[in-house]
Amino acid sequence: MISFLLGLTLLGCPAKLQVDDSASASNKEPTPPPVLGVNESEDCDQKALGSNVCNFFLLDQNGDYWELYDHKGKIIILDFSTVWCYPCQMAAVHTQKIQDEYADDVVFVTLLVQGPEGLPATDIDVNSWVQTYGITTAPVLQASPEYVMDQAGITGYLVGGYPTYVYLDRNLVITDAHVGFNEEYMKTILDGMIQ
């Protein structure tokens, strides 16, 4: 019996253990997630018309990171809304329609800043918003005042009321902004930016 086991050992096992380097390459440290909110730098600002905006990262309705700078080359509407705001709710009915009408040129992005109790929006708030207003392709982002608004005059966007709309040209420069929704006015701005 011992000679049988010794024979198997000598015949069946290689003398040198081989290591697959591809397995160790897949064990690299994962890239850390981006910092949520506006990422300030010296060459950007959100305070005035003509400003180059800073990049930001927020989670979208699918739980994915949505990065502003990924959409350079498109016209972007940033819609700062809250769940509790009745004018925001009335405007949200038009979000998908406008996104569909201008899909080749425009990204209509809702930054849901607060939930129904005035607290930062949750993923449940975002998903409810998407379902309630039939939003299928326009991004709806889970935001908060801390992430995106200029609370102390230093960072973020100036939001004077809800909803606030900020229009970015294809180079991510602020070209227009207003408080309150008016579909015809919005289309006039977009048509002028597209030409």
Side-chain angles (χ1 to χ4, degrees):
M1 176 77 155
I2 292 176
S3 62
F4 175 73
L5 290 175
L6 183 58
L8 280 178
T9 304
L10 292 174
L11 293 174
C13 296
K16 182 177 177 184
L17 179 63
Q18 295 182 2
V19 177
D20 183 3
D21 289 336
S22 65
S24 62
S26 66
N27 292 332
K28 289 182 181 178
E29 285 292 314
T31 305
V35 175
L36 295 177
V38 175
N39 290 251
E40 292 285 331
S41 66
E42 291 180 19
D43 60 344
C44 62
D45 182 29
Q46 293 71 237
K47 307 287 183 289
L49 295 179
S51 296
N52 291 309
V53 294
C54 299
N55 199 10
F56 68 73
F57 295 89
L58 292 170
L59 294 173
D60 68 13
Q61 65 261 43
N62 302 312
D64 296 325
Y65 289 100
W66 194 92
E67 180 179 357
L68 178 63
Y69 280 14
D70 281 349
H71 303 279
K72 186 173 183 176
K74 292 264 190 176
I75 294 165
I76 300 171
I77 305 169
L78 299 177
D79 164 16
F80 295 86
S81 285
T82 67
V83 172
W84 54 261
C85 161
Y86 182 72
C88 300
Q89 296 167 13
M90 294 299 95
V93 172
H94 302 275
T95 300
Q96 190 60 51
K97 181 176 118 179
I98 292 169
Q99 179 62 70
D100 291 344
E101 186 172 337
Y102 292 93
D104 292 338
D105 296 299
V106 174
V107 179
F108 193 131
V109 185
T110 301
L111 290 86
L112 204 54
V113 178
Q114 293 179 341
E117 305 296 323
L119 298 173
T122 66
D123 59 337
I124 294 169
D125 297 329
V126 168
N127 286 314
S128 176
W129 190 268
V130 165
Q131 290 178 355
T132 300
Y133 301 107
I135 299 171
T136 57
T137 61
V140 178
L141 308 180
Q142 182 182 342
S144 72
E146 175 184 280
Y147 288 156
V148 296
M149 290 171 51
D150 187 356
Q151 308 262 332
I154 301 168
T155 63
Y157 289 82
L158 298 171
V159 177
Y162 298 111
T164 290
Y165 297 93
V166 177
Y167 300 82
L168 308 179
D169 71 11
R170 295 178 194 280
N171 293 312
L172 301 171
V173 173
I174 298 175
T175 60
D176 210 324
H178 59 87
V179 176
F181 178 77
N182 179 306
E183 184 176 4
E184 290 308 312
Y185 183 66
M186 181 175 280
K187 287 181 176 184
T188 300
I189 293 171
L190 291 175
D191 291 341
M193 292 176 73
I194 290 170
Q195 294 175 355

